[in-house]
Amino acid sequence: MGKGKRVGIVGAGNVGSTAAFILAMNGSCHEIILRDNKIDIAKGKALDMSQAAAAARSHTIVSVAEEPHQLKDCDVVVVTAGSPRLPGMSRDDLLMTNAEITREVVNDIKTYSPNAIIIMVSNPLDAMTYVALRESGFERHRVLGMAGILDSSRMAYFIQEKLGYGAGQIRASVMGGHGDDMVPLPRYSTVAGVPLNDLLTDEEIDEIVERTKHGGAEIVNYLKTGSAYYAPGKSAVIMVEAILKDTKQIYPCAVYLDGEYGYSDVVSGVPVSIGADGAEEIINISLNACERKMFKKSVESVRELIDTLEKNNFFGEKR
């Protein structure tokens, strides 16, 4: 008899617990294992979610890994652990602190869930995905970063808000790194199949693009003491379910590039077919001169973070 699907979530803060709750309500897997350094809080959330699952008549059980070895035999592990982004703090400020946290978490995953697919959510996202790949030694298709789905959903909402209609029918597309240099793609964005350029002026589209780039910071400024979690949690769940259900649907995700789009040894957000093996295929879409220029700038921003890690000898001896 085959075992039930098991999802690990490292970091039971707002994003991790939101993702766990959605998975439990959807009955997406047999078991969800929370891992957090605040064990009692994780236990309380797990108990609350398990009772919610019982109310929803979902078969999903939520438990807590008090020790690293209890996060074992997971099919997918979502990593949200890290220092939060606070008002006035750039994603870059988080680099060294969260790189150390990611290293510790990934080493535990490698030891106790060696066949898992890792979904990184911790910021700075693209650099942390790179760290997770290097530290795990996993094949590149088994380490993905959640960013493009979130950024695209923000862009889709801003399009709906600007239009005043089309909710649920908007397909927005964002590539590049998860930061101010992300690359929203109006040319690949539609409302019920209608190109965005047929519905909005260039000025209106530019306003949407700029708001999308700063979508996370806008929420941080409202919340004051934290960052977004409903949309990030749901975006992570979309990736988890695509893997568990082997849907092979295309989503923008942060993955290691090895020649795609002309770049290598760097992580960036590109369209990816997600299935049981993780990032099963990277989709190469054609970019015009302006889009290529923006994508290059975005890739260079991520490469600067990777270079900072290298200069600080984070990875030890250079390859």
Side-chain angles (χ1 to χ4, degrees):
M1 177 183 272
K3 65 182 179 68
K5 295 295 185 181
R6 180 178 289 172
V7 175
I9 297 182
V10 183
N14 287 336
V15 176
S17 58
T18 298
F21 180 70
I22 296 171
L23 286 167
M25 290 302 95
N26 290 354
S28 305
C29 52
H30 175 67
E31 185 177 5
I32 298 165
I33 306 174
L34 299 180
R35 170 90 174 130
D36 196 279
N37 55 4
K38 297 175 182 175
I39 294 173
D40 283 348
I41 290 176
K43 283 183 174 180
K45 290 184 177 182
L47 188 58
D48 195 10
M49 281 185 240
S50 293
Q51 292 166 0
R57 298 189 177 180
S58 165
H59 67 279
T60 301
I61 298 164
V62 186
S63 63
V64 173
E66 295 187 43
E67 299 294 337
H69 68 85
Q70 294 173 308
L71 192 75
K72 64 179 182 179
D73 300 330
C74 293
D75 298 281
V76 184
V77 180
V78 179
V79 180
T80 72
S83 174
R85 185 183 179 203
L86 301 174
M89 180 188 288
S90 73
R91 289 186 175 89
D92 299 2
D93 295 334
L94 301 175
L95 181 63
M96 296 310 298
T97 298
N98 283 355
E100 290 290 352
I101 294 171
T102 297
R103 167 186 276 158
E104 182 179 345
V105 168
V106 167
N107 283 334
D108 287 341
I109 294 169
K110 182 179 178 180
T111 302
Y112 301 109
S113 289
N115 298 313
I117 292 167
I118 299 174
I119 297 176
M120 292 301 303
V121 181
S122 309
N123 281 318
L125 187 281
D126 304 273
M128 292 307 100
T129 303
Y130 184 89
V131 169
L133 182 66
R134 286 280 297 269
E135 291 297 311
S136 67
F138 287 0
E139 303 95 331
R140 67 168 177 155
H141 62 85
R142 291 173 56 202
V143 181
L144 302 82
M146 187 290 295
I149 296 173
L150 170 62
D151 295 329
S152 296
S153 70
R154 286 173 172 162
M155 184 177 177
Y157 174 73
F158 296 146
I159 291 169
Q160 185 275 324
E161 192 176 51
K162 183 75 74 175
L163 285 172
Y165 58 81
Q169 296 180 301
I170 299 169
R171 301 292 178 265
S173 184
V174 178
M175 283 180 59
H178 185 52
D180 297 342
D181 292 322
M182 69 179 70
V183 187
L185 297 171
R187 204 163 56 89
Y188 285 100
S189 301
T190 61
V191 182
V194 180
L196 196 59
N197 291 322
D198 290 349
L199 301 171
L200 294 170
T201 66
D202 289 344
E203 183 179 352
E204 289 171 325
I205 291 173
D206 287 344
E207 289 173 4
I208 289 167
V209 166
E210 285 307 306
R211 195 174 175 196
T212 299
K213 289 181 178 181
H214 305 289
E218 182 177 352
I219 293 173
V220 168
N221 289 334
Y222 280 124
L223 295 178
K224 308 297 184 190
T225 57
S227 55
Y229 48 95
Y230 292 124
K234 175 60 177 177
S235 298
V237 167
I238 287 170
M239 293 176 67
V240 171
E241 292 183 337
I243 293 166
L244 296 180
K245 298 176 182 178
D246 193 24
T247 66
K248 305 191 188 301
Q249 291 182 314
I250 297 172
Y251 296 105
C253 303
V255 292
Y256 181 89
L257 299 180
D258 187 21
E260 294 85 4
Y261 294 91
Y263 299 97
S264 296
D265 196 32
V266 72
V267 166
S268 193
V270 294
V272 172
S273 172
I274 304 181
D277 290 329
E280 295 190 345
E281 184 177 349
I282 293 174
I283 311 300
N284 282 279
I285 63 172
S286 59
L287 302 176
N288 61 31
C290 180
E291 291 161 348
R292 284 196 300 272
K293 183 179 179 181
M294 289 191 296
F295 188 66
K296 180 181 179 182
K297 182 181 179 184
S298 183
V299 169
E300 287 173 348
S301 293
V302 177
R303 203 183 292 282
E304 285 177 10
L305 297 179
I306 295 171
D307 288 344
T308 299
L309 291 168
E310 295 281 12
K311 287 173 185 174
N312 282 278
N313 203 34
F314 180 80
F315 300 109
E317 291 295 322
K318 288 203 171 188
R319 292 172 299 170

